[in-house]
Amino acid sequence: MRPNTMKALEKSKPEEGLWMVQAPVPEIDPDEVLIRINKTGICGTDIHIWNWDDWASHTVPVPMITGHEFAGEIVEIGRNVTGLEVGQRCSGEGHLITTDSRQSRAGKFHLDPGTRGIGVNEQGAFAQFLKLPAFNVVPLPDDIPDEIGAILDPLGNAVHTALSFDLLGEDVLITGAGPIGIMAAAVARHAGARNVVITDINADRLKLAEHVVPSVRTVDVSKDDLHDVIAELGMKEGFDVGLEMSGSQAALDQMVEALVMGGKIALLGIPPGKSPVDWSRIVFKAITIKGVYGREMFETWYKMIAMLQNGLDVSRVITHHFSIDDFAEGFSAMKSGLSGKVVLDWT
Ligand code: ZN
């Protein structure tokens, strides 16, 4: 039943590209499970690793099986594991934590400074089998299909960011219409925001945003002025909450300008390096800023699964499916900048 080797998509050499290799099937520890992978999602992180840019070459040891967005089925269980069973469909949290830090011992696992990422620091999910601590496993209910299970990691980023502040009845500005920004728009709608406006300078991404969340207002800020949209939507003073998803300094500046006094910003986008910020503007507008990293373990997972079961629909953000044998096409679709989420099928 258990094969000795498996297909895996690996960074085998310190240069551009990923290679399909035969790797040993991982042996599990008593607290771990072995998961047979059905579907995986390609993340921007995987593109950095493919491209072997500055960040990747300083962060990722070689060889490394990449990938951290997955859905599959438990096929083996360590002897200490309780509450899970063979045959259970699951996704899982790709951040592996330590338990001895101050934040972990306070129950804030997502703030553990010793966190290691699968597919980045530890062998990842782009493989036929993945070993994972049982603690990190998130069982999938029957009404959530594998392809959604494979994008719960980035949906979790969107949910964590969007639910950082109360959105009920609020006007929400999202800067950056990549897949996570678009999913955050869907979450903001679901959470009861009044106006949800999403900006970008890429017309194709804005088209995808309208396709996924028809009730969202898109703005191409290379052509249109946000202040006109504020007036058109009848907002008296501006947006109440901003979700920054682009890492663009211009977008953050526009957001600060477009926010009400006392407005709130959740920052998920990562600027390319140090970027100048007009702090006095932020102080005088009495703005609250929160940095967002990963997903809350496991409150974000609980909430997103509950919302998916109660009408949150992000399925159209998946624009491409490929068999794993065509992984290179999946990566080119991602690199084109025109795709939503790309899902690879391992079955
Ligand atoms: Zn990711």
Side-chain angles (χ1 to χ4, degrees):
M1 168 90 197
R2 178 194 225 277
N4 291 323
T5 63
M6 63 179 186
K7 276 190 204 176
L9 198 48
E10 186 185 77
K11 174 60 81 177
S12 309
K13 305 172 260 184
E15 59 187 68
E16 188 182 345
L18 288 175
W19 294 269
M20 191 62 80
V21 298
Q22 283 291 320
V25 174
E27 299 288 339
I28 58 169
D29 288 339
D31 296 317
E32 294 176 331
V33 301
L34 188 69
I35 297 165
R36 195 189 65 223
I37 298 295
N38 290 335
K39 289 194 182 352
T40 55
I42 303 179
C43 179
T45 302
D46 304 317
I47 301 299
H48 288 290
I49 296 174
W50 176 293
N51 291 341
W52 206 236
D53 61 13
D54 224 43
W55 169 83
S57 61
H58 285 97
T59 310
V60 181
V62 173
M64 176 63 68
I65 298 171
T66 52
H68 55 272
E69 303 178 0
F70 68 92
E73 184 180 325
I74 296 174
V75 291
E76 261 181 53
I77 287 195
R79 65 171 186 275
N80 293 346
V81 175
T82 55
L84 294 171
E85 50 191 57
V86 168
Q88 168 75 60
R89 292 174 56 249
C90 68
S91 181
E93 172 57 55
H95 285 174
L96 312 182
I97 56 143
T98 69
T99 52
D100 55 359
S101 67
R102 176 184 176 180
Q103 298 291 10
S104 283
R105 289 178 68 81
K108 299 173 201 165
F109 302 121
H110 67 293
L111 298 178
D112 174 40
T115 296
R116 296 173 63 76
I118 65 167
V120 176
N121 316 108
E122 300 284 343
Q123 301 300 325
F126 287 170
Q128 287 176 301
F129 296 93
L130 168 72
K131 72 167 183 159
L132 196 69
F135 176 80
N136 287 61
V137 171
V138 176
L140 284 178
D142 292 342
D143 52 356
I144 297 187
D146 282 343
E147 63 170 23
I148 298 297
I151 63 164
L152 290 182
D153 172 293
L155 175 59
N157 290 130
V159 168
H160 187 187
T161 311
L163 300 189
S164 287
F165 301 108
D166 183 13
L167 298 186
L168 181 63
E170 303 287 43
D171 295 325
V172 178
L173 173 64
I174 301 167
T175 45
I180 294 179
I182 293 173
M183 289 192 283
V187 173
R189 263 275 161 265
H190 192 82
R194 179 171 64 173
N195 292 301
V196 179
V197 173
I198 188 165
T199 67
D200 207 294
I201 51 172
N202 176 329
D204 293 297
R205 287 185 177 278
L206 292 170
K207 230 178 269 168
L208 180 62
E210 282 166 14
H211 179 62
V212 178
V213 196
S215 61
V216 76
R217 175 72 154 85
T218 59
V219 182
D220 184 338
V221 283
S222 69
K223 293 193 198 121
D224 295 316
D225 190 332
L226 214 41
H227 289 98
D228 296 339
V229 177
I230 290 173
E232 181 197 315
L233 293 174
M235 281 182 252
K236 212 169 145 214
E237 293 159 37
F239 294 92
D240 305 294
V241 177
L243 310 177
E244 208 306 289
M245 305 295 202
S246 71
S248 147
Q249 191 217 319
L252 181 60
D253 286 344
Q254 286 163 6
M255 180 173 276
V256 170
E257 278 314 304
L259 241 53
V260 295
M261 286 284 296
K264 303 173 185 99
I265 297 177
L267 284 177
L268 186 77
I270 300 167
K274 286 190 182 181
S275 72
V277 173
D278 188 352
W279 286 107
S280 57
R281 194 83 187 105
I282 289 167
V283 172
F284 286 127
K285 279 192 110 168
I287 286 170
T288 301
I289 299 186
K290 177 191 174 190
V292 179
Y293 176 64
R295 297 143 297 279
E296 287 187 12
M297 292 173 229
F298 284 85
E299 186 64 7
T300 301
W301 290 86
Y302 181 92
K303 291 255 192 192
M304 79 178 144
I305 287 173
M307 287 189 284
L308 287 167
Q309 292 185 304
N310 185 33
L312 174 66
D313 182 3
V314 293
S315 56
R316 280 178 295 201
V317 83
I318 302 171
T319 53
H320 294 73
H321 294 85
F322 292 99
S323 152
I324 191 56
D325 297 324
D326 302 322
F327 71 89
E329 283 180 64
F331 277 81
S332 342
M334 281 287 287
K335 285 198 252 182
S336 73
L338 303 175
S339 73
K341 288 302 294 182
V342 175
V343 169
L344 302 174
D345 190 338
W346 289 80
T347 55

